C-alpha cells in the first residue's frame, strides 16, 4: 500500500495498465493526501464485483459499497478498482470479503469512519448482504457505529 502527498506521484492514475492482476494483493492500493479541509462523506460503488465460493469454486457476484469519512488520506479509485479485481480468483466467504476490504482500507487510510456493504446475488434462494463498519476512537463518528448497523438491519 502506498500513500503519497502529491497526486502526481500516484502510479496508476492516468496510466495504461497492460496486464490486470486477478489475485488478491493489497499492496497495489494507493492513497493521496486529503487537502479538502472539511468533513466529506465518500461513497464508492463497485457494482461488478466478483469472487469465488471457497467450497465450490463457483463465481459470486456482488455490489460492494464503501462509505467513508476520510481523515488525512483518500483512496485513489483506479488502484481500488484493480485491488477489487484481485478477488476474482480468490475463494472467500461473503462476510470475510467485506471484512478484508474494510481492514485493508483502514490500514491504508486510517479514516475517521468507514463501512463496507456487500450485496451478493442470491444463490440457492438466499442473498447474503454483510455489513461491517469502524470508527476511529475519539471521533464523533463513534456514535455512528451502532446506529448505522441498526439502520442497515432495518432495511
Amino acid at each position: 500500500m502506498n500513500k503519497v502527498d502529491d497526486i502526481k506521484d500516484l502510479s496508476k492514475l492516468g496510466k495504461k495498465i497492460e496486464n490486470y492482476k486477478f489475485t488478491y494483493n493489497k499492496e497495489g492500493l494507493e492513497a493521496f493526501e486529503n487537502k479538502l479541509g472539511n468533513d466529506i462523506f465518500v461513497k464508492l460503488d463497485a457494482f461488478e464485483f466478483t469472487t469465488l465460493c471457497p467450497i465450490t469454486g463457483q463465481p459470486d457476484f456482488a455490489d460492494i459499497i464503501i462509505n467513508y469519512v476520510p481523515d488525512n488520506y483518500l483512496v485513489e479509485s483506479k488502484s481500488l478498482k484493480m485491488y477489487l479485481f484481485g478477488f476474482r480468483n480468490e475463494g472467500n466467504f461473503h462476510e470475510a470479503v467485506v471484512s478484508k476490504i474494510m481492514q485493508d482500507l483502514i490500514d491504508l487510510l486510517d479514516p475517521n469512519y468507514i463501512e463496507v456493504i456487500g450485496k451478493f446475488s442470491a444463490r440457492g434462494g438466499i442473498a447474503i448482504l454483510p455489513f461491517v463498519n469502524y470508527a476511529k476512537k475519539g471521533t464523533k463518528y463513534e456514535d455512528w457505529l451502532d446506529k448505522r448497523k441498526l439502520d442497515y438491519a432495518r432495511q
Side-chain angles (χ1 to χ4, degrees):
M1 291 187 281
N2 183 26
K3 293 181 186 176
V4 300
D5 293 329
D6 194 324
I7 60 172
K8 71 177 178 357
D9 295 325
L10 293 168
S11 69
K12 294 167 188 64
L13 184 62
K15 314 249 180 357
K16 183 177 179 185
I17 305 300
E18 297 296 330
N19 296 312
Y20 284 101
K21 305 285 186 226
F22 297 111
T23 55
Y24 169 77
N25 180 4
K26 70 179 182 178
E27 297 309 313
L29 277 170
E30 292 186 331
F32 59 95
E33 187 178 6
N34 176 9
K35 296 181 181 181
L36 299 172
N38 61 335
D39 277 351
I40 184 169
F41 188 91
V42 179
K43 182 173 195 146
L44 304 164
D45 189 353
F47 55 87
E48 294 179 334
F49 180 85
T50 59
T51 191
L52 299 176
C53 172
I55 306 301
T56 66
Q58 294 179 335
D60 286 319
F61 303 94
D63 182 0
I64 300 291
I65 299 167
I66 301 164
N67 296 315
Y68 74 105
V69 177
D71 188 0
N72 295 318
Y73 290 93
L74 295 155
V75 69
E76 193 281 309
S77 60
K78 187 171 185 180
S79 76
L80 178 65
K81 175 177 70 171
M82 294 171 63
Y83 161 80
L84 293 173
F85 283 172
F87 285 88
R88 234 171 233 188
N89 290 325
E90 298 289 318
N92 290 288
F93 289 110
H94 301 157
E95 300 85 351
V97 167
V98 297
S99 293
K100 186 183 284 191
I101 291 169
M102 184 181 74
Q103 189 58 57
D104 289 345
L105 290 171
I106 290 169
D107 292 345
L108 176 69
L109 304 173
D110 190 25
N112 287 315
Y113 176 82
I114 188 169
E115 62 190 30
V116 179
I117 303 161
K119 294 182 177 182
F120 286 84
S121 298
R123 280 183 134 237
I126 298 173
I128 299 175
L129 310 170
F131 173 100
V132 292
N133 66 348
Y134 159 88
K136 189 184 293 186
K137 293 205 183 306
T139 67
K140 62 185 176 185
Y141 303 103
E142 284 184 292
D143 295 340
W144 287 19
L145 290 171
D146 290 337
K147 181 180 181 336
R148 295 288 291 171
K149 284 179 189 158
L150 286 171
D151 289 348
Y152 183 71
R154 290 181 184 130
Q155 292 179 8

